Amino acid sequence: MSISIGQIAPNFEAETTEGRIRFHDWIGDGWAILFSHPKDFTPVCTTELGTMAGLKPEFDKRNTKIIGLSVDPVDSHSRWADDIREVTGHAVTYPMIGDPSLEVSKLYGMLPADAGTTSEGRTAATNATVRVVVFIGPDKQVKAYLAYPMTAGRNFDEILRLLDSLQLTAKHKVATPANWKHGEDVIIAGSVNNDDAKKLFPNGWKEPKPYIRIVPQP
């Protein structure tokens, strides 16, 4: 199956480095980010998991839980965590899902249904598509879905920026323009007509074009 924005994030049960979880129950009533990796003890992923660990306080401030996934077993994750801390200086203090049966990877469309039922004998190259970031809202809907090749490390500043945009636009009837950062001007959503916009934004807006209405971030 494939994952689409707006669908309910597939639920599952799995072992993690912090015990067995049922995914939707683990998310609770906040936001969550699931980010996946093709294999333990791989160079780019080592830097990514450490970077995410260093940024965990930023995700905590945004009421967002983070969880990693790799197709290898949990005991391998625990050994890998020692390397991650040594290389990056950040201890992994969030759970990492073990997916040795490939069930979660298939459920999230990262591997095809005929990929087999075990991670044994598989290489990072055969798992290359297990490199996604899934943003999930409190309603358990997928809000954004990013995929990366193995050779390109993820930009976690962009992941935080996108999370800020998703949370802002979920609360207010606005959209964020290109290269927007938290605190900058935003655009009134196209679904809001001018009469309603006057009620929501009584101080008015800048209008370089009739279809572009710019206001300070709410």
Side-chain angles (χ1 to χ4, degrees):
M1 65 177 293
S2 60
I3 299 296
S4 301
I5 292 173
Q7 78 169 84
I8 297 297
N11 199 13
F12 59 85
E13 292 189 25
E15 296 296 333
T16 79
T17 50
E18 296 184 3
R20 190 166 185 83
I21 64 166
R22 183 169 177 82
F23 190 48
H24 283 191
D25 293 342
W26 175 83
I27 292 174
D29 59 2
W31 290 70
I33 292 177
L34 166 67
F35 66 115
S36 64
H37 308 271
K39 195 166 183 62
D40 293 0
F41 302 101
T42 50
V44 174
C45 296
T46 297
T47 66
E48 291 176 330
L49 286 158
T51 299
M52 194 65 140
L55 289 171
K56 187 175 181 297
E58 293 298 322
F59 292 99
D60 291 342
K61 287 193 301 187
R62 292 162 172 82
N63 190 32
T64 300
K65 292 183 175 180
I66 55 177
I67 190 165
L69 177 147
S70 172
V71 300
D72 290 321
V74 167
D75 60 348
S76 175
H77 295 356
S78 298
R79 296 194 303 273
W80 188 21
D82 292 336
D83 284 3
I84 293 166
R85 182 180 63 250
E86 182 179 345
V87 170
T88 69
H90 298 294
V92 176
T93 56
Y94 51 83
M96 294 171 60
I97 299 165
D99 191 29
S101 66
L102 313 181
E103 291 180 9
V104 181
S105 296
K106 292 178 183 178
L107 190 63
Y108 274 75
M110 295 181 282
L111 287 174
D114 62 0
T117 58
T118 178
S119 62
E120 289 294 323
R122 296 182 66 87
T123 66
T126 55
N127 298 331
T129 50
V130 187
R131 275 184 61 73
V132 305
V133 184
V134 186
F135 298 73
I136 302 165
D139 55 5
K140 309 303 184 291
Q141 286 188 2
V142 174
K143 304 302 183 181
Y145 185 95
L146 307 175
Y148 292 79
M150 287 199 303
T151 52
R154 285 169 264 209
N155 184 325
F156 288 91
D157 290 336
E158 168 59 12
I159 289 171
L160 278 172
R161 190 196 75 89
L162 177 53
L163 177 60
D164 284 339
S165 176
L166 293 170
Q167 292 187 337
L168 177 69
T169 57
K171 186 176 181 181
H172 301 281
K173 293 182 179 181
V174 297
T176 56
N179 298 325
W180 173 87
K181 294 180 182 178
H182 183 73
E184 295 180 349
D185 288 351
V186 298
I187 298 168
I188 300 173
S191 59
V192 179
N193 62 41
N194 280 348
D195 288 339
D196 289 338
K198 290 173 184 176
K199 299 172 187 175
L200 293 170
F201 306 97
N203 293 327
W205 54 82
K206 293 181 289 185
E207 191 174 281
K209 293 290 181 180
Y211 55 88
I212 302 176
R213 297 167 296 175
I214 300 170
V215 294
Q217 177 182 314

